[in-house]
Amino acid sequence: MRILGIETSCDETGIAIYDDGLGDSPEGILAHRLYSQIAVHADYGGVVPELASRDHVRKTIPLIKQVLADANLTPQDLDGVAYTAGPGLVGALLVGCSIGRSLAYGWELPAVPVHHMEGHLLAPMLEDDVPEFPFVALLVSGGHTMLVRVDAIGEYKLLGESVDDAAGEAFDKTAKLLGLDYPGGPALSKMAESGEAGRFKLPRPMTDRPGLDFSFSGLKTAAGTLVRKECTDLTDTELKQTNADIAHAFQQAVVDTLAIKCKRALQQEKLSRLVIAGGVSANTALREQLAITTKKLGGSVFYPRPEFCTDNGAMIAYAGLQRLKAGTDADLTFKANPRWALDSLPPVK
């Protein structure tokens, strides 16, 4: 079975075709393309929902045509169309939903609405080293930070989540305080590489109490206070180094917090396998720390390649294929779900 995946939940248009390998084609991604809207939103310092929606309108159909050409396929070679139905920006979601459902109707194919975070959760399945069920998943991005127990596809138990800012959101906001351009998260991580460890100390929020919930708003505020206190009356060279030291302290605080919570979750659930996914999972410092954490517990960590950490069509195609095999086929109506609980999804039988 081959399925087309469409991702338009925020500021990236991702299109891919995935094949289950049971026919003439090898299993895996036959083609994928991604268009990022960074240039569209850079002047505003963040995503402008209306501009995001309009850009998805312009880019989605051309990218679908390109992906079909890349795979040397026609719509008649497909067995279904999957599209992100939520969570995300409602206008952006509606673009993908309406295009995906319309194409499925016109091509006489099943339509499969996909949960964006289930796509991220299953993204490591696109790699050669695939985790076995059950495992604990850390989903960490600009919009979400959550820990989930995963017993099978669709069998999810929410263990903890952010009560305010997501980790990726805190990265972007702190980067802005340091004068970095949008998107600030990757730029802050790059700056942190030249920072001096130990010069500044920032809190590890909510690690001094039981539980698996997260909070990064206070950490962002603490970083802002540090910037205002330390980054005045400095030479350019001193300012550059001080900013790098603050970036290092902030990143280490986030990494330590996530690692502490992941360790707790694995011990609580008596599991040894950890999956990390979402945009922040591409962070090198986080990957290294979680590898150390899981090794000490006698376990292992799994994650997708960097290009599949951020939003992409391949993860939606893969997740959609699993739902399609289970019999999912949306009716002619479609609905965008800007808020959609992951643990409300039905299991795949």
Side-chain angles (χ1 to χ4, degrees):
M1 297 180 76
R2 299 188 190 104
I3 192 167
L4 175 72
I6 302 171
E7 157 61 30
T8 65
S9 66
C10 189
D11 61 340
E12 285 157 321
T13 312
I15 309 295
I17 297 173
Y18 190 88
D19 193 299
D20 66 1
L22 300 180
D24 297 330
S25 301
E27 181 178 6
I29 304 160
L30 301 185
H32 75 96
R33 292 211 176 214
L34 182 70
Y35 172 78
S36 173
Q37 299 178 359
I38 288 176
V40 175
H41 304 288
D43 289 344
Y44 304 94
V47 178
V48 181
E50 179 64 22
L51 295 182
S53 303
R54 293 178 184 180
D55 219 40
H56 287 309
V57 170
R58 284 191 289 265
K59 299 297 182 181
T60 303
I61 293 296
L63 283 176
I64 291 173
K65 291 179 178 178
Q66 290 172 9
V67 165
L68 285 168
D70 291 344
N72 196 26
L73 297 174
T74 68
Q76 288 69 41
D77 298 313
L78 299 174
D79 297 289
V81 178
Y83 50 88
T84 303
L89 301 175
V90 65
L93 291 168
L94 281 170
V95 176
C97 288
S98 57
I99 291 175
R101 188 63 195 88
S102 300
L103 289 178
Y105 176 73
W107 293 341
E108 298 182 341
L109 297 173
V112 186
V114 173
H115 193 291
H116 179 73
M117 298 311 294
E118 183 171 59
H120 276 304
L121 189 153
L122 297 177
M125 304 299 183
L126 299 169
E127 306 303 326
D128 294 331
D129 188 15
V130 174
E132 296 180 4
F133 299 108
F135 56 78
V136 169
L138 171 66
L139 303 179
V140 56
S141 65
H144 301 85
T145 302
M146 61 176 70
L147 281 164
V148 182
R149 180 189 172 106
V150 182
D151 288 299
I153 297 176
E155 296 183 24
Y156 307 132
K157 174 188 174 185
L158 181 64
L159 304 175
E161 61 185 338
S162 179
V163 298
D164 42 54
D165 288 356
E169 183 180 6
F171 261 97
D172 287 341
K173 289 180 177 178
T174 302
K176 192 171 184 178
L177 293 172
L178 292 170
L180 299 173
D181 292 333
Y182 170 85
L188 186 149
S189 297
K190 182 67 176 177
M191 177 183 280
E193 293 176 4
S194 58
E196 177 185 337
R199 180 182 174 189
F200 299 118
K201 179 75 171 179
L202 289 169
R204 276 60 174 162
M206 297 184 73
T207 59
D208 59 347
R209 69 196 74 175
L212 296 172
D213 285 336
F214 302 91
S215 171
F216 292 106
S217 180
L219 175 58
K220 173 201 66 185
T221 301
T225 301
L226 196 57
V227 169
R228 288 188 293 273
K229 177 183 177 182
E230 300 291 340
C231 297
T232 56
D233 300 323
L234 300 177
T235 66
D236 289 346
T237 301
E238 290 171 337
L239 179 60
K240 181 178 180 181
Q241 186 58 50
T242 299
N243 281 343
D245 295 343
I246 293 173
H248 186 281
F250 172 82
Q251 177 174 262
Q252 197 58 52
V254 173
V255 167
D256 287 349
T257 300
L258 294 173
I260 290 168
K261 297 287 185 169
C262 286
K263 179 180 178 181
R264 284 185 189 175
L266 289 168
Q267 292 174 327
Q268 173 184 300
E269 299 301 312
K270 296 180 172 58
L271 296 175
S272 61
R273 288 179 291 274
L274 175 69
V275 161
I276 57 171
V280 181
S281 69
N283 183 282
T284 303
L286 177 61
R287 290 188 177 204
E288 291 174 351
Q289 184 60 57
L290 290 179
I292 294 170
T293 298
T294 52
K295 185 176 181 180
K296 287 181 179 178
L297 295 174
S300 50
V301 61
F302 302 82
Y303 41 75
R305 69 197 82 165
E307 65 181 313
F308 294 147
C309 290
T310 55
D311 295 348
N312 63 88
M315 68 181 192
I316 301 304
Y318 180 85
L321 184 61
Q322 311 315 307
R323 293 284 171 184
L324 177 62
K325 287 182 173 181
T328 300
D329 182 6
D331 58 27
L332 281 175
T333 62
F334 61 85
K335 179 182 178 182
N337 299 284
R339 295 184 180 275
W340 189 3
L342 180 64
D343 54 4
S344 70
L345 296 177
V348 169
K349 298 298 185 181

